[in-house]
Amino acid sequence: MSIMKIISGILILITAFLSFKHGWEGLVIETNPAEPNLFTQFGIGKTGILLISLLSIAVGLMVLFPPTFFAGNLINAVMILSIMGLSLKTGNLKIALIEIPFLLMPLVMIYLGHPFKK
C-alpha cells in the first residue's frame, strides 16, 4: 500500500470523526440566548443549526464511501469556507484563520482520492 493511500485513509478517518463530532454537538446544543456560541454570532437560528448538523453528519458518512467521496469533500469544503466567510463578516479573524487547515483537508483528500477506489 502506498504512502499516499495511507495518508488519504488517515485524513478520511479524521474528517469522519470531526464531522460526526460537530454534527452531534449541533444536534444537542441548547440555543440559549444567554450562552453565545458560533452559530448565534453568525445569526443562525435553531433550524439552521439542525440543518448544518445533519449535513455535517452526512458528510462524515459520504467521505467513507468511494462513490460519494468527492461530493462529501466538496460539501465539507463549502461548509468550512462559509464558516470562514461568516467569521470575517462578523469581524472574527481568529476563527477564519483557524479554519484554514480544515479547508485544506478536503481539498488534499480530493487530490489524493479515496484509498479503496478501483
Side-chain angles (χ1 to χ4, degrees):
M1 184 177 261
S2 76
I3 190 75
M4 295 301 205
K5 287 188 176 192
I6 293 170
I7 292 171
S8 180
I10 291 168
L11 290 174
I12 287 171
L13 293 175
I14 292 169
T15 298
F17 171 76
L18 290 174
S19 293
F20 293 139
K21 178 182 175 288
H22 292 138
W24 179 253
E25 287 172 354
L27 291 175
V28 297
I29 195 170
E30 288 296 321
T31 53
N32 183 355
E35 295 179 26
N37 61 42
L38 195 60
F39 291 116
T40 56
Q41 287 178 4
F42 297 157
I44 298 173
K46 201 171 192 173
T47 304
I49 293 171
L50 177 65
L51 291 173
I52 292 168
S53 298
L54 292 174
L55 188 59
S56 183
I57 291 170
V59 164
L61 290 171
M62 291 172 77
V63 298
L64 295 174
F65 303 102
T68 57
F69 178 77
F70 176 75
N73 279 305
L74 192 61
I75 293 167
N76 196 18
V78 168
M79 286 175 34
I80 294 167
L81 192 58
S82 298
I83 290 170
M84 292 174 74
L86 290 168
S87 296
L88 292 172
K89 182 180 174 188
T90 59
N92 197 337
L93 181 62
K94 182 180 174 185
I95 297 277
L97 293 175
I98 288 171
E99 292 295 323
I100 291 173
F102 298 107
L103 177 61
L104 293 176
M105 279 179 54
L107 301 178
V108 169
M109 287 179 13
I110 289 170
Y111 173 75
L112 293 175
H114 197 284
F116 299 125
K117 184 178 181 182
K118 295 180 182 177

